[in-house]
Amino acid sequence: MKKQWTGAEIRQSFVDFFVSHGHTFVPSSSLVPGGDQTLLFTNAGMVQFKDVFLGTDVRPYTRAVNSQKCMRVAGKHNDLDDVGRDDTHHTFFEMLGNWSFGDYYKKEAIAWAWELLTEVWGLDKSKLWTTCFKDDKGSIPSDEEAYANWVKQPGIIPEQVLFNGRKENFWEMADVGPCGPCSEIHIDRGAEYCNKQAVPGHICRVNGDCARFTELWNLVFIQYNRLSPTDLQPLPATHVDTGMGFERIVSVMQGVNSNYRTDLLFPLIQTVQRLTGHTDAEVAGNFTPYRVLADHARAATFLITDGVVPGNIGRNYICRMIVRRAARFGRKLGLGEPFMAKIAQTVIDTYGAAFPDLRRNHATILDNLTREEQRFQRTVDAGLGRLNELLGELRSRGETVLDGQEAFDLYATLGLPYELARDEARDQGLDVDETGFRQAMDEHRIASGAGKAFGAQGGEHVDIFRGVLKNLIAAGKLTVEGVAYDPYESLEVKDRLLAIVKDGVSVTDAEAGDTVAVVLSKTCFYVESGGQMSDAGSIQSVSGPAWEIAVEETRKPAAGVIVHIGKVTRGSPQVDDEIFAVVDTQRRWDIMRNHTATHLLHAELHAVLGEHARQAGSLVAPDRLRFDFTHPEAIPAETLEKIEAGVNQAILENYRLNTTIKPLAQAIAEGAMALFGEKYSETVRTITIGSHLSEGGSHLSEGGSHLSEGGQLLPISYELCGGTHVGETGDIGLFLILNEGSAAAGVRRIEAVTGRGAYEVVQRRFKALKQSAALLGSALEDVPAKAQALLDDAGSARKQIQRLRQDLVAAEFVRHLAEVPFVADVPVLALVLPNADADTLRQMTDRFRKQYPSGVVVLGSAVDNRPALIACVTDDLVKRGLNAGEIVRTIAQVIDGSGGGRPTLAQAGGKDASRLQEAIDQVVPIVKAKLK
Ligand SMILES: [Zn+2]
Ligand SMILES: [Zn+2]
């Protein structure tokens, strides 16, 4: 009987096969591309190797195999709209690949591909078709080498080896850069798989666009470097880059007609079925929403695991969109309550063994999904309400298509996704402009700093320094390993000046005032990495004429080259001069204190807030540290104090730090914390605080360990880290949190200081406290009580002043009340009073009315230069044509103000206090004119 393969077995056998052929297994990198701000998500297996192909990175291996987590949500490869509508599109997927970096080439790549598919996995040789490159434009040579290798594979049918043109069989990374021909392997799944039988004239064939022929594997042979559309140069070293869609090969091996019916995704479909209570027939009849829910739940689960929680911009926005789209399809299936966490649980169960991070982040995943669904439920009704208003306006204008920008604003402000708006519009016989929506979203995305095109890799400097490196190696001044880098052992080196680059050109000497980049054969200057800033310092001549370069930063522009960038402060440095380079020691110590404190803070956040509080960004500068981490809400002051106290306790314990170099896999297995968006090689440096991990991974006791549940000793902190650290935590001195706030949706930020920085803060604040105490004439500890007492005094004084002011106003008013002038038979008092607030003015009008049951009073006053007016007309006079509101509105114009009220009582404010009297002077003429 034929072996029935599980998805996990297929993944593992792929890896095992290539490991047995000398490949190094490289674990999947994060969905957030390491060190590449230009790419939204890791979208292919080659992303983590891109720098190797571009020559800016070197690896200790030349053969690699991996299964890479990928995301594609937009662009030429995929559109979110396709996902769910068919059996093959996904947002998240895995890509299997084997790689040769200047090692084996077509002969081995082709033979191994054939052997794995037909011998190991037992696919029918007669069903396999392969393709080779033949240029349809006739300018690039045909790939006869690949063809010759294919036709000699055992059991292959030579007629099933085809040639195709550029569109199918020539691969390019970008408009310029590495490229080459490729070979694809397709499988004929049989006539019953054809889904184009209804199309007139359809013939099933390779690349014929029906489901019968399926592409399994693409082998890319990188042998050229494209310099321009017409200039193709052969590369000195050739590479192999292959990609096999994991879900697809699993569907073929398991003999199912949909990726969603493999054992990777079908358990998710079944979970949804349990939630809806549908029969199998109902599931089949509603397969689109089922596929959407399975795909999106899997994608969101992996995104959150990699630190991408739902939010408003960039990657976080994509996560939100995916959760909300799933929620909408869930509604279609009648799911009213939050349900994503339940599907995510199945994702974790299905994938947890291959991706242990899923299990580690279990609680965070479920929590984030449920919160996002709840947020969506709260906003979606408001969004639909506003949409219906807009659609009503649209209809009344006689139009049928809602503007794309308006639809995007609905999304941006009320969280209503385009798809939902479109569905609602179409239900009413209207539509939404999709192009306009996408455009608005792209603009938004670019403005948010994400989703830009595959960008330049370090610019023109890469070439200059690569050239410098080549020349130095050729001249025997550097080994092929390049510049020796050791920022850990010493802070000074003696060496020779190997190269000077000024204004992008390699020169032999420089002058005082020049900004230069210089290369030595070895350096102890730290190069910015993992959030830790570069070192600064100085390079000086040790013999001959004196000169000095003040180094401001260091960089690594290409593999093997480290440059020191700075200004020549005196003299004239020349290539080959003997030099002495020294790192600014005090600055470096400040940085090391902040870096070690960052590790302690990270560990303390885990201990106090929980495992979900993972690093989402970090800056280690000389004057401060900044740490971003995933956490849904603001941290209360007492909790923050507890965290700060915990870090300081670890400092006082004076734990020793241990640095160990070990295999990445071992460090991960031991539970070392690895960070998002960081690239790791397979040998890593680990920093342990509080206990020592031996080579074998057992935990030895050495002060400052936690006992785990199993009674095993665990360190306080254990991280993969290439940074520089203090020897013992006591070196940090003091740790102070300056503030805590929001960095992004679901991400909090803590800024803190240590050592000298902390001392300065304490000193500054202590001084301020002492000054306050001196001003208050109190002891330091009594400052708060004394300040409170003063505030209370000031409060009652203010009240007293107000009372006195009212008394004064009243006295003034009473004088005028005795001699109110008449207009015809009506007493009319129009008056500016000094310093009366609105309240006082009202009281004065009441007094007037008590004395004059029939009459008009209009008062104006200004407090702190802000004028106010009040008018009062008795009922009987309203009947005779007078109106308080009208009077106030008219005269308020004079003071540049406005107001209103009832016919009997009205008031106004204004801006121009200097014209109050002028305004009041208008009252008598108005009364005269209006009075009947
Ligand atoms: Zn067909
Ligand atoms: Zn670190």
Side-chain angles (χ1 to χ4, degrees), residues 16 46 67 138 140 219 227 237 240 259 271 294 301 417 423 446 502 511 526 549 574 623 690 760 785 832 842 866 874:
D16 291 346
M46 70 94 58
S67 176
I140 308 171
L219 316 181
L227 301 175
V240 175
N259 293 356
T271 299
T301 301
D423 285 0
I446 288 163
K502 194 179 110 180
E511 298 299 320
Y526 187 79
I549 298 168
Q574 300 209 356
D623 58 334
E760 269 166 36
V832 175
R842 242 187 323 271
R866 290 178 50 206
T874 49

Side-chain angles (χ1 to χ4, degrees), residues 387-605:
L387 173 69
N388 278 310
E389 281 173 33
L390 289 173
L391 293 178
E393 290 166 20
L394 194 71
R395 213 177 289 109
S396 68
R397 287 198 303 268
E399 296 170 17
T400 56
V401 180
L402 182 69
D403 183 63
Q405 179 67 48
E406 279 187 307
F408 178 74
D409 291 344
L410 275 179
Y411 176 77
T413 58
L414 295 170
L416 187 72
Y418 161 77
E419 293 88 344
L420 222 165
R422 179 194 56 194
D423 285 0
E424 181 70 21
R426 286 185 181 168
D427 285 351
Q428 303 182 24
L430 304 168
D431 210 339
V432 180
D433 171 23
E434 177 167 3
T435 314
F437 178 88
R438 302 270 169 232
Q439 215 169 348
M441 188 162 69
D442 283 347
E443 278 161 22
H444 173 84
R445 197 184 293 163
I446 288 163
S448 336
K452 286 174 213 140
F454 206 76
Q457 298 297 311
E460 70 279 24
H461 293 299
V462 181
D463 291 333
I464 294 161
F465 289 105
R466 222 184 276 155
V468 167
L469 180 69
K470 224 165 98 183
N471 293 340
L472 290 172
I473 293 171
K477 292 181 176 179
L478 271 181
T479 69
V480 286
E481 259 89 67
V483 178
Y485 177 58
D486 184 0
Y488 310 114
E489 291 304 318
S490 166
L491 293 180
E492 50 188 60
V493 291
K494 275 193 160 162
D495 198 13
R496 262 175 207 287
L497 199 55
L498 295 189
I500 305 173
V501 171
K502 194 179 110 180
D503 300 328
V505 182
S506 183
V507 294
T508 55
D509 58 328
E511 298 299 320
D514 288 348
T515 295
V516 292
V518 301
V519 181
L520 311 174
S521 75
K522 58 190 171 193
T523 189
C524 55
F525 281 66
Y526 187 79
V527 178
E528 175 167 357
S529 157
Q532 179 178 335
M533 282 172 69
S534 287
D535 279 332
S538 104
I539 302 176
Q540 308 165 30
S541 58
V542 288
S543 59
W547 57 258
E548 183 173 5
I549 298 168
V551 177
E552 282 147 26
E553 65 169 320
T554 47
R555 278 194 211 149
K556 188 177 180 182
V561 203
I562 290 167
V563 295
H564 306 76
I565 299 163
K567 216 177 196 140
V568 181
T569 52
R570 63 192 166 100
S572 171
Q574 300 209 356
V575 167
D576 285 338
D577 281 355
E578 273 185 70
I579 62 98
F580 174 67
V582 59
V583 171
D584 179 338
T585 310
Q586 204 166 44
R587 184 176 177 279
R588 163 67 90 80
W589 265 96
D590 291 337
I591 288 176
M592 295 197 297
R593 288 187 194 99
N594 281 335
H595 199 150
T596 306
T598 299
H599 285 213
L600 292 177
L601 172 62
H602 195 181
E604 194 62 26
L605 288 171

Side-chain angles (χ1 to χ4, degrees), residues 325-343:
R325 188 165 186 259
R328 178 173 76 92
F329 277 90
R331 285 185 160 211
K332 282 189 171 178
L333 290 177
L335 299 175
E337 296 294 306
F339 58 87
M340 290 284 276
K342 300 197 175 83
I343 316 176

Side-chain angles (χ1 to χ4, degrees), residues 73-88:
V73 284
K76 64 177 179 184
H77 296 295
N78 201 6
D79 196 321
L80 197 61
D81 287 347
D82 294 335
V83 175
R85 300 198 192 289
D86 62 26
D87 288 309
T88 55

Side-chain angles (χ1 to χ4, degrees), residues 500-776:
I500 305 173
V501 171
K502 194 179 110 180
D503 300 328
V505 182
S506 183
V507 294
T508 55
D509 58 328
E511 298 299 320
D514 288 348
T515 295
V516 292
V518 301
V519 181
L520 311 174
S521 75
K522 58 190 171 193
T523 189
C524 55
F525 281 66
Y526 187 79
V527 178
E528 175 167 357
S529 157
Q532 179 178 335
M533 282 172 69
S534 287
D535 279 332
S538 104
I539 302 176
Q540 308 165 30
S541 58
V542 288
S543 59
W547 57 258
E548 183 173 5
I549 298 168
V551 177
E552 282 147 26
E553 65 169 320
T554 47
R555 278 194 211 149
K556 188 177 180 182
V561 203
I562 290 167
V563 295
H564 306 76
I565 299 163
K567 216 177 196 140
V568 181
T569 52
R570 63 192 166 100
S572 171
Q574 300 209 356
V575 167
D576 285 338
D577 281 355
E578 273 185 70
I579 62 98
F580 174 67
V582 59
V583 171
D584 179 338
T585 310
Q586 204 166 44
R587 184 176 177 279
R588 163 67 90 80
W589 265 96
D590 291 337
I591 288 176
M592 295 197 297
R593 288 187 194 99
N594 281 335
H595 199 150
T596 306
T598 299
H599 285 213
L600 292 177
L601 172 62
H602 195 181
E604 194 62 26
L605 288 171
H606 270 216
V608 175
L609 301 177
E611 291 283 311
H612 67 275
R614 296 176 66 188
Q615 175 164 349
S618 163
L619 171 73
V620 179
D623 58 334
R624 70 191 195 287
L625 67 93
R626 193 179 71 206
F627 192 74
D628 295 350
F629 54 98
T630 46
H631 186 65
E633 62 219 354
I635 301 172
E638 318 82 72
T639 311
L640 215 51
E641 276 170 27
K642 201 174 155 199
I643 292 164
E644 186 181 84
V647 172
N648 281 298
Q649 185 57 39
I651 291 170
L652 290 176
E653 299 287 348
N654 205 23
Y655 298 133
R656 188 182 304 165
L657 274 81
N658 282 294
T659 307
T660 317
I661 311 287
K662 60 177 67 170
L664 176 64
Q666 184 192 339
I668 297 290
E670 287 168 354
M673 258 190 276
L675 308 179
F676 297 126
E678 223 19 82
K679 261 193 319 202
Y680 294 109
S681 48
E682 44 277 43
T683 308
V684 291
R685 194 164 170 272
T686 66
I687 305 289
T688 313
I689 305 176
S691 87
H692 178 70
L693 282 163
S694 76
E695 281 303 304
S698 67
H699 306 273
L700 297 184
S701 161
E702 186 176 300
S705 305
H706 297 308
L707 272 180
S708 76
E709 282 166 31
Q712 204 179 18
L713 281 166
L714 295 173
I716 299 238
S717 159
Y718 184 20
E719 290 198 26
L720 306 188
C721 178
T724 61
H725 289 268
V726 299
E728 275 128 20
T729 56
D731 294 334
I732 296 169
L734 176 64
F735 170 84
L736 283 181
I737 293 176
L738 294 186
N739 49 58
E740 187 271 343
S742 168
V747 177
R748 307 299 299 177
R749 166 172 293 176
I750 282 180
E751 284 187 303
V753 288
T754 67
R756 290 198 300 157
Y759 178 70
E760 269 166 36
V761 168
V762 169
Q763 210 181 22
R764 204 168 53 237
R765 293 187 177 171
F766 202 43
K767 199 169 163 188
L769 183 60
K770 279 193 231 169
Q771 281 169 343
S772 309
L775 287 170
L776 295 169

